[in-house]
Amino acid sequence: MEMEGREQSLRKRVRQQMLDLMEKMDFSFSTRLLSENQMAAKFQVSRSTIRAVLTELEAEGKVIRRHGSGTYVNPPALHVTSTLYPRVNMMDLIRKNGYEPGKKVLGFRNIQAEERGSYLNLFPFDQITEVRTIYCAGARPCMYCIDCVDAKRFDGVNWWEYERYPNSIYQFIRMQVDIELVWDIIKVQAAHSSQMPALKKCFSVPDGVIKPLVHLEITNFDKSNQPSLWGNIYVDTDLVCLNIVRDLTGL
């Protein structure tokens, strides 16, 4: 855990140094970055650390890697603060929108999967654990989240501990039950506060008012491509801006 924290701190420092370097570049001359070896020497870190940071920046659309040519800055995306790319978790998304993130676990329960079992490759009569969480931007609720997992497979998770855990739910799950979530599918839909009483309560919507929201339905998969976490997140886009940056090279 301590080692993981040091690695995250190092990557965070190198990421900022790399972004500072990009800001000082003259893009009218070239958008090409130094090589991985050159940046490793410049920032006095290992090449693997440089590669990890570049992978994160690539996922956010801030850099573009071209095999055999190098890594190039994508200037228009440099100032896009928050994206829906996989390596950006919900706490980071809030932070990138300029707020101090927080969360409150409302509760969890074991219930029959019913139709939700299909999202996790379970039978309707299997048990799932449903966890309800509010994410906050400062003092204001900005996301209402309902996560579902296989109750038997995730039996060792203490969900109350998650409220005090400072990092992502993916790292928390890995720490608790050694299940690593490595990729996901996000379905984006329109939603509104009158769809369920919990949304009206969470976002303090007055009677007679309908608040528009963005609904993210996220299925997370482990290393064996098994769906392991199915979540529904309702986002107040007045507080949290959602962007997608895509590389269309070759399309």
Side-chain angles (χ1 to χ4, degrees):
M1 184 68 178
E2 185 178 347
M3 177 69 73
E4 182 178 293
R6 285 200 299 268
E7 289 175 357
Q8 288 177 346
S9 178
L10 177 63
R11 286 198 297 270
K12 184 177 180 180
R13 173 177 68 80
V14 173
R15 174 194 168 93
Q16 189 56 54
Q17 289 176 320
M18 205 175 291
L19 289 173
D20 291 343
L21 176 67
M22 294 178 196
E23 290 287 353
K24 296 173 183 175
M25 291 175 62
D26 181 359
F27 296 131
S28 65
F29 175 71
S30 175
T31 60
R32 184 176 178 176
L33 279 172
L34 299 172
S35 70
E36 291 181 4
N37 285 335
Q38 288 171 325
M39 282 192 285
K42 182 177 180 64
F43 300 135
Q44 298 184 339
V45 295
S46 69
R47 187 177 174 185
S48 63
T49 298
I50 296 296
R51 192 177 295 116
V53 173
L54 286 175
T55 298
E56 180 180 307
L57 293 174
E58 182 184 30
E60 295 175 19
K62 289 181 169 59
V63 302
I64 298 170
R65 283 162 150 173
R66 294 175 181 159
H67 184 68
S69 177
T71 302
Y72 295 80
V73 181
N74 184 13
L78 270 185
H79 300 289
V80 174
T81 56
S82 57
T83 75
L84 280 178
Y85 269 75
R87 291 186 183 274
V88 179
N89 64 65
M90 296 308 157
M91 298 293 277
D92 285 341
L93 196 59
I94 297 168
R95 194 175 288 111
K96 288 174 185 291
N97 275 271
Y99 299 98
E100 182 61 29
K103 62 176 178 285
K104 179 177 178 59
V105 177
L106 301 179
F108 57 92
R109 59 179 181 164
N110 285 354
I111 55 176
Q112 276 198 336
E114 298 180 338
E115 72 278 0
R116 289 177 290 187
S118 62
Y119 295 100
L120 296 169
N121 284 350
L122 299 174
F123 292 108
F125 52 79
D126 285 329
Q127 291 280 300
I128 60 170
T129 300
E130 178 191 83
V131 185
R132 294 179 179 254
T133 308
I134 291 178
Y135 292 88
C136 294
R140 299 173 63 185
C142 62
M143 300 184 196
Y144 183 82
C145 183
I146 308 169
D147 287 310
C148 297
V149 298
D150 181 348
K152 184 177 181 180
R153 189 177 180 213
F154 286 73
D155 183 56
V157 175
N158 183 344
W159 291 106
W160 290 122
E161 288 293 323
Y162 176 53
E163 185 169 342
R164 296 189 292 273
Y165 189 70
N167 297 317
S168 74
I169 190 171
Y170 311 112
Q171 292 167 311
F172 178 73
I173 286 173
R174 184 168 68 243
M175 178 186 69
Q176 291 266 318
V177 289
D178 196 28
I179 294 174
E180 185 174 4
L181 303 177
V182 296
W183 67 281
D184 59 25
I185 296 174
I186 302 177
K187 181 179 179 180
V188 183
Q189 304 170 82
H192 52 80
S193 57
S194 62
Q195 285 184 253
M196 63 178 78
L199 295 177
K200 181 178 178 180
K201 182 178 180 180
C202 171
F203 297 110
S204 301
V205 182
D207 289 341
V209 175
I210 296 178
K211 182 178 181 60
L213 304 165
V214 169
H215 174 202
L216 306 177
E217 181 186 302
I218 307 178
T219 306
N220 299 273
F221 296 80
D222 63 19
K223 290 190 290 187
S224 62
N225 293 329
Q226 178 178 342
S228 301
L229 173 69
W230 180 62
N232 287 272
I233 303 178
Y234 298 86
V235 184
D236 180 354
T237 54
D238 290 338
L239 294 172
V240 177
C241 180
L242 305 173
N243 299 285
I244 296 177
V245 179
R246 299 193 301 157
D247 177 12
L248 301 181
T249 304
L251 295 183

